[in-house]
């Protein structure tokens, strides 16, 4: 089943609680939190306190994407704040295996993310150590960007890698996901679609989420 994760980076921060409720009522499966430190990416966003408030106010699992240097420093804090999934970047840690197991030891599902120009081969050495692979199809840091087509091919490579190894993991795609790109992404093997500006900028969020899921099911 295709899941839709609502990226709150594109929500209206003046009414964040209402925006989260709107995404949940529209049928989103997860809330996606892009955590930025101004170093790994040229932007700064949320900390554990915002996540904790969102967890108290909403019924959806929270999917935390740590776009930060040395993510090991904050894994425990975000786990305690209520994250269900915590994803670290392969490029941001010297010890990917250790970081993934730190996430699991904190009781969360462990994710590993790759930037558009990062080849997927590094995942071969941690197969079985992660529950989700997040493919960035834009350069991380800002919402509203167009999907980089070459990065989308990586989804298929990861899907084949997992299948050949007999390993089960979600494949999540973030960047330029909309009603046009979703079918192509799902055909490559994606199971979780992160939607931000296309979702919160839609005049009818429920219709947008329903459309993504229908297109996803048809593409499988």
């Amino acid at each position: 089943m295709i899941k839709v994760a609502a990226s709150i980076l594109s929500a209206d921060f003046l009414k964040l609680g209402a925006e989260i409720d709107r995404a949940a009522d529209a049928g989103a499966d997860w809330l996606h939190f892009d955590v930025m430190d101004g170093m790994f990416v040229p932007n700064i966003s949320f900390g554990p306190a915002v996540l904790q408030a969102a967890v108290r106010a909403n019924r959806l699992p929270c999917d935390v994407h740590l776009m930060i240097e040395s993510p090991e420093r904050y894994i425990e804090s975000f786990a305690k704040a209520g994250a269900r999934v915590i994803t670290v970047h392969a490029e941001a840690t010297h010890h990917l295996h250790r970081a993934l197991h730190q996430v699991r030891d904190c009781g969360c599902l462990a994710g590993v993310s790759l930037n558009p120009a990062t080849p997927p081969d590094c995942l071969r050495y941690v197969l079985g150590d992660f529950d989700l692979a997040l493919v960035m199809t834009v350069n991380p840091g800002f919402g509203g960007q167009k999907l980089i087509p070459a990065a989308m091919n990586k989804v298929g490579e990861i899907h084949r890698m997992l299948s050949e190894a007999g390993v089960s993991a979600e494949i999540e795609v973030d960047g330029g996901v909309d009603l046009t790109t979703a079918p192509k992404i799902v055909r490559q093997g994606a199971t979780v679609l992160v939607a931000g500006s296309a979702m919160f900028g839609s005049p009818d969020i429920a219709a947008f989420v329903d459309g993504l899921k229908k297109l996803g099911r048809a593409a499988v």
Side-chain angles (χ1 to χ4, degrees):
M1 185 181 83
I2 301 301
K3 299 181 182 70
V4 174
S7 177
I8 67 165
L9 186 65
S10 296
D12 183 343
F13 293 172
L14 288 178
K15 47 183 180 180
L16 190 54
E19 291 280 74
I20 289 172
D21 287 341
R22 198 157 66 108
D25 292 342
D29 301 288
W30 292 356
L31 285 182
H32 186 82
F33 280 77
D34 287 317
V35 178
M36 308 178 192
D37 63 357
M39 296 172 64
F40 183 70
V41 294
N43 201 358
I44 297 174
S45 61
F46 315 107
V50 175
L51 174 65
Q52 190 173 42
V55 169
R56 286 199 305 267
N58 112 90
R59 60 186 181 272
L60 298 180
C62 290
D63 168 31
V64 175
H65 177 194
L66 298 181
M67 301 185 200
I68 63 177
E69 294 286 354
S70 303
E72 298 90 341
R73 297 172 298 153
Y74 292 102
I75 286 171
E76 186 176 356
S77 296
F78 281 98
K80 287 181 177 178
R84 181 76 61 85
V85 183
I86 297 179
T87 296
V88 301
H89 268 264
E91 307 91 350
T93 175
H94 295 296
H95 305 287
L96 180 57
H97 178 274
R98 181 185 297 166
L100 293 172
H101 281 273
Q102 183 183 352
V103 173
R104 285 183 169 179
D105 289 345
C106 287
C108 300
L109 297 177
V112 54
S113 184
L114 303 177
N115 281 335
T118 301
D121 193 60
C122 64
L123 298 182
R124 295 187 187 278
Y125 305 99
V126 288
L127 286 173
D129 298 309
F130 60 86
D131 306 289
L132 176 147
L134 170 54
V135 177
M136 292 302 301
T137 45
V138 297
N139 290 302
F142 299 94
Q145 300 181 64
K146 290 185 178 180
L147 182 145
I148 299 171
M152 190 168 58
N153 297 332
K154 199 183 307 180
V155 178
E157 293 180 51
I158 294 171
H159 178 68
R160 288 189 292 275
M161 185 188 302
L162 293 170
S163 297
E164 290 167 2
V167 173
S168 177
E170 301 273 16
I171 301 178
E172 185 174 38
V173 173
D174 185 0
V177 175
D178 57 28
L179 297 177
T180 300
T181 59
K184 303 171 188 176
I185 294 167
V186 172
R187 280 195 291 269
Q188 292 274 6
T191 57
V192 183
L193 303 175
V194 179
S197 56
M199 176 186 291
F200 287 104
S202 171
D204 187 337
I205 290 185
F208 176 83
V209 173
D210 185 58
L212 272 187
K213 292 185 177 184
K214 284 180 177 176
L215 289 167
R217 288 194 295 270
V220 172

